Amino acid sequence: MRSWTVAVLAVALVAALAACGGDKSSSPRDAVIEAWKADKLAPPALTAAQVSFGKDCQGGTIEGIDVMLCNFPSPAEANAAEDAGLAWVGQATGASQARGAALIVLADRKKADPNGRTINRLLKLAPK
């Protein structure tokens, strides 16, 4: 009986470790943020934002660039929101690009990135 109990506990432990050892990202947005952090581009805490093109969005600023990150149920829905993201950018230099089920919208309203290098870097670092 004792060996059966040990076997059950061992199986439970392996299952628990497997569940914990997977991808730590809980959303497409989190995966983008983790990629930026890995390259020393840590955004300050993003805050919930109300925008017309997404329901689950958070915004903030990274190196002077206004950032909006939105989660969508599917990559197709994120792609469909790209043009609306560009409308959020307005006349500023910026970009709106779907990466999987995340939409990354960047706007240089303060002219902090005159060569576009930071915007380019933020987009290239994001997982596809």
Side-chain angles (χ1 to χ4, degrees), residues 37-91:
K37 285 180 180 179
D39 203 56
K40 308 291 189 259
L41 284 167
L46 298 177
T47 58
Q50 298 288 330
V51 292
S52 63
F53 53 87
K55 294 179 184 175
D56 183 9
C57 298
Q58 292 183 353
T61 303
I62 299 176
E63 297 193 14
I65 304 296
D66 293 333
V67 174
M68 186 66 59
L69 291 174
C70 300
N71 286 329
F72 286 87
S74 71
E77 291 175 77
N79 281 330
E82 284 182 341
D83 288 341
L86 283 175
W88 180 81
V89 172
Q91 295 299 314

Side-chain angles (χ1 to χ4, degrees), residues 10 17 20 25 38 42 48 52 65 70-71 79 81 85 89 95 97 104 107 110 113 119 126:
L17 288 174
C20 291
S25 297
S52 63
I65 304 296
C70 300
N71 286 329
N79 281 330
V89 172
Q97 194 171 90
I104 304 166
K110 298 172 189 138
D113 187 26
I119 290 173

